[in-house]
Amino acid sequence: MSPARWRECLACGFPADPGDTVCPKCNAVLAAQTDGSTRTLDVAHAQQTVAEALDQLRSGLDHARTTPAARVRLIIGHGRIAAAVLPQLEHLRRTGAIARYDFDGHNHGAVIVHHRCQP
């Protein structure tokens, strides 16, 4: 098993296959594990179209779920991309795909997306 194909259980350190939902050694729920970190994803400052930004949002959040990070700091800017991303985040929250999202303090060009519920 190559290191790029597995993740380590944060409870016991055992390597788990990406398809595993629980650790094969200690039965800890892998999707609930987090190291409390925050990943950053900028979907607004590389001259993306709105459609490209929404694709980046989806793929970035999907990737973040495979990491132990608890949150994603999503840079959305203040224009058309932000206007498209915020309703999408609300939809993801309502459907349970993310736990919640909040503006990053007084910076309304960035949103903190909590994709895991923290204990």
Side-chain angles (χ1 to χ4, degrees), residues 81-112:
I81 289 174
V85 165
L86 291 172
Q88 182 66 28
L89 289 175
E90 182 57 25
H91 170 75
L92 293 171
R93 186 197 61 78
R94 281 194 321 269
T95 59
I98 62 174
R100 71 178 200 274
Y101 65 95
D102 307 293
F103 285 108
D104 187 9
H106 295 291
N107 180 0
H108 285 217
V111 178
I112 304 296

Side-chain angles (χ1 to χ4, degrees), residues 1 7 10 22-23 27 44 48 51 54 58 61 71 73 76 83 90 92 97 99 118:
M1 190 176 343
R7 66 182 274 192
L10 297 179
V22 296
C23 174
N27 292 324
Q48 299 95 321
L54 291 175
R58 287 183 205 99
L61 290 178
R71 297 168 295 279
R73 183 173 188 259
I76 61 173
E90 182 57 25
L92 293 171
Q118 290 196 311

Side-chain angles (χ1 to χ4, degrees), residues 15 36 41 50 53 64 72 87 91 100:
L41 174 63
V50 170
V72 175
H91 170 75
R100 71 178 200 274

Side-chain angles (χ1 to χ4, degrees), residues 9-43:
C9 173
L10 297 179
C12 72
F14 194 78
D17 190 68
D20 291 342
T21 56
V22 296
C23 174
K25 182 177 180 184
C26 72
N27 292 324
V29 178
L30 296 171
Q33 293 183 346
T34 178
D35 63 5
S37 65
T38 302
R39 298 179 60 84
T40 298
L41 174 63
D42 187 341
V43 300

